[in-house]
Amino acid sequence: MTTETLVGEYFASGTLSGLPTGHFIDGAFVAASGGRTMETFDPGSARPYHAFAAGDGSDVDRAVAAARRAQRAWGRTRASARGAILSRAAELIRAEAARLAVVESLDSGKALQEAEGDVAGAARCFDYYAGAADKIQGDTFPLGADHIGYSIEEPAGVTAHVIPWNYPLSTAARSIAPALAAGCTVVAKPAEQTPLTALMLAGILARAGLPAGACNVVTGTGAEAGGPLVAHPDVRHVTFTGSVPTGIRVMQSAAAHVASVVLELGGKSPVIVMADADMDAAVEGVLGAIYENAGQICSAGSRLVVERGVHAELVGRLAGRAAGLRLGHGLRRPQVGALSSAAHLDKVAGYVEGARARGVTVAAGGERATDPQSGAGWFFQPTILDAVKADDPVIQEEIFGPVLSVQVVDGEEEAVAVANGTDFGLVAGIYTSDFGRAHRMARDIDAGQVYINEYFAGGIEVPFGGNKLSGFGREKGFAALRSYTRTKSLTAKIGGSS
Ligand code: NAD
């Protein structure tokens, strides 16, 4: 079916046919043990459009048991054969890209063209780890002529993947693909706001030839389904992406069974613009860094750290562009889509109201909005808060919406100090035409990733993750595989006297 047909079906009927409703456990879609369902909403219209399984601990138990049964055979499958299945999954994601993108846009509120990019990224992720599967190898150790020593990289076992609502498919893909490549089995728990594309991905993996039980998806709330999953004694590793408080709880649960964790938490990432920067590139970079996905990105460039000499010019240009961005229902391909839920919209609006009450200048936006065609939906105008003090909550706390907070600095040293002046350390952007300065600043910034002269530069090849409250462990690249393997060292005496 084409994108246009699917979009037409949704606007004519208020839903889409053939959406998954059950958990995906042991190779099949199944109802929740308790028979309960919950609704998923279209943020662009603020209406529910589909019911899905509301899982609990008993569903988690079924899924983990299935993953445990599948573990031995999948872990012992030749790595190239595992890679071939992931490669077929990438092909199927591309073949079903139209449907995946429409569902992703509908469930999350994001613009359809961004969802299309996410689907292409998910396919690329499966391609990358398909190729990586048979490059996971051990070492040999120089113990002398009478001994041998070598290591094997074994799969960690059953792994849990707790997925957020801002990038439902791409976050699922970037942790499920390396886990399967390494020979682990998977139980994923998508966010309750956006359960559908993870379920569709599990169906695709089964059609690609993945054995039953190797990838399971349980839907439901964080408390009822996520909690039991990360606390399950048979789960040996947890990859979590989401908020700091939930991440801390997840780590505490995993600690009870000494399961390893990767925490991909929030950020308050600075985009530094020095006076010697290419201003056109900086304008485009800053706009994309904060307004893509309506700012609901852990690595959003939510703070502009700008050198005083170009502050007025840059903020003026950004405010003009922000005011001209077209909001709308995701399926109408707007420049800025909806926020994911009513509660989240309230949170974003609350931050801006608070800043206004403290006397912060609102240089652009600052108000709630709706889809211009329907007058409905959960939208917030692209907003700029200018010349904000370092201790203001809109500088220190993650808003996770289309709100840019500006900090004015004098010189390189202050720019780095201000960039490092929050509890987060996920990413940072630097715009400057001075090569040496760019690399000095990158050296001194406490973040997991630094972009120079292009925000979000990179791809699945580049390790991604945070420092400080932004978490630890790395996803993407070969670094991600380390979370899903355990080194077994073997040493033997093979003869002679030593
Ligand atoms: P959250 O961290 O509570 O939810 C993320 C995921 O964790 C969801 O799948 C949720 O169901 C699950 N979860 C919740 N409680 C759990 C528990 N006790 N055990 C296991 N899993 C649990 O995030 P939220 O409440 O949806 O959003 C709040 C804020 O978090 C946002 O405003 C934003 O600042 C931040 N956030 C960050 C990211 C990111 O990419 N880093 C993504 C989503 C949200």
Side-chain angles (χ1 to χ4, degrees):
M1 235 187 258
T2 66
T3 303
E4 289 65 35
T5 315
L6 291 162
V7 171
E9 181 192 344
Y10 177 71
F11 282 128
S13 69
T15 190
L16 284 173
S17 49
L19 293 174
T21 53
H23 307 303
F24 192 86
I25 298 177
D26 213 5
F29 286 102
V30 294
S33 308
R36 289 182 306 132
T37 60
M38 56 193 295
E39 285 177 315
T40 186
F41 282 74
D42 162 13
S45 68
R47 288 180 45 254
Y49 72 98
H50 184 66
F52 64 96
D56 59 23
S58 58
D59 299 306
V60 167
D61 288 346
R62 278 197 290 165
V64 173
R68 211 175 154 195
R69 281 194 301 275
Q71 176 58 54
R72 187 179 164 93
W74 179 246
R76 293 183 175 196
T77 298
R78 191 168 178 159
S80 59
R82 291 201 298 262
I85 290 172
L86 298 189
S87 186
R88 276 201 291 283
E91 282 167 30
L92 288 176
I93 290 170
R94 289 194 184 97
E96 296 172 30
R99 190 171 179 77
L100 283 165
V102 168
V103 174
E104 189 78 329
S105 168
L106 197 48
D107 227 12
S108 67
K110 69 174 66 195
L112 182 53
Q113 68 277 14
E114 290 188 26
E116 287 166 346
D118 294 353
V119 173
R124 166 83 188 108
C125 176
F126 275 91
D127 273 340
Y128 180 84
Y129 288 107
D134 60 2
K135 281 106 196 149
I136 301 169
Q137 52 193 32
D139 253 322
T140 57
F141 310 115
L143 299 180
D146 293 335
H147 291 81
I148 53 170
Y150 63 97
S151 65
I152 303 170
E153 293 300 319
E154 295 184 333
V158 176
T159 58
H161 304 248
V162 181
I163 315 290
W165 41 258
N166 54 336
Y167 283 88
L169 179 65
S170 38
T171 311
R174 82 178 184 201
S175 77
I176 292 173
L180 293 174
C184 296
T185 55
V186 165
V187 181
K189 209 298 282 177
E192 49 272 43
Q193 297 87 345
T194 54
L196 299 179
T197 48
L199 291 165
M200 291 164 75
L201 177 62
I204 284 174
L205 280 161
R207 275 179 278 131
L210 191 72
C215 180
N216 309 274
V217 176
V218 175
T219 54
T221 65
E224 290 183 329
L229 175 59
V230 299
H232 201 291
D234 290 338
V235 166
R236 298 313 309 142
H237 174 83
V238 180
T239 296
F240 172 82
T241 306
S243 65
V244 175
T246 307
I248 290 170
R249 273 203 297 279
V250 165
M251 190 172 167
Q252 284 165 340
S253 293
H257 304 287
V258 198
S260 56
V261 290
V262 164
L263 297 180
E264 193 68 72
L265 308 179
K268 196 72 198 179
S269 299
V271 189
I272 301 171
V273 179
M274 302 304 286
D276 62 9
D278 172 340
M279 272 314 130
D280 293 341
V283 168
E284 296 310 320
V286 173
L287 286 170
I290 187 61
Y291 301 132
E292 195 174 312
N293 206 28
Q296 302 166 115
I297 312 182
C298 50
S299 53
S302 53
R303 291 187 293 139
L304 168 63
V305 178
V306 59
E307 221 175 357
R308 193 173 306 279
V310 289
H311 165 231
E313 179 202 342
L314 184 58
V315 170
R317 287 181 66 178
L318 290 169
R321 289 284 299 277
L325 291 173
R326 188 170 44 82
L327 271 61
H329 192 285
L331 293 182
R332 296 195 178 98
R333 298 186 184 274
Q335 287 167 299
V336 182
L339 298 185
S340 84
S341 65
H344 187 53
L345 172 59
D346 287 345
K347 177 183 156 185
V348 172
Y351 270 109
V352 175
E353 280 157 28
R356 219 185 237 123
R358 290 187 295 277
V360 171
T361 304
V362 181
E367 303 296 337
R368 293 166 188 256
T370 52
D371 171 44
Q373 217 143 321
S374 67
W378 301 312
F379 294 84
F380 200 79
Q381 292 176 338
T383 297
I384 299 177
L385 303 175
D386 198 13
V388 187
K389 290 199 195 106
D391 60 353
D392 196 283
V394 300
I395 294 294
Q396 294 298 331
E397 295 170 23
E398 185 174 47
I399 300 174
F400 222 61
V403 181
L404 178 69
S405 302
V406 181
Q407 296 176 277
V408 188
V409 294
D410 293 296
E412 185 179 319
E413 208 175 307
E414 190 185 356
V416 170
V418 165
N420 285 335
T422 73
D423 290 334
F424 295 102
L426 191 52
V427 310
I430 302 170
Y431 283 81
T432 174
S433 55
D434 182 331
F435 180 86
R437 161 182 277 174
H439 288 276
R440 276 195 305 280
M441 295 176 88
R443 178 196 62 198
D444 294 338
I445 284 173
D446 191 357
Q449 193 168 353
V450 179
Y451 304 118
I452 296 171
N453 289 335
E454 187 188 309
Y455 206 84
F456 296 135
I460 189 65
E461 304 87 342
V462 184
F464 177 83
N467 299 344
K468 302 196 278 182
L469 285 192
S470 297
F472 59 83
R474 293 294 178 262
E475 296 199 83
K476 301 172 42 176
F478 268 59
L481 292 166
R482 284 181 213 129
S483 308
Y484 301 107
T485 57
R486 301 283 179 259
T487 302
K488 178 184 278 175
S489 299
L490 295 98
T491 48
K493 183 166 183 184
I494 57 171
S497 54
S498 56

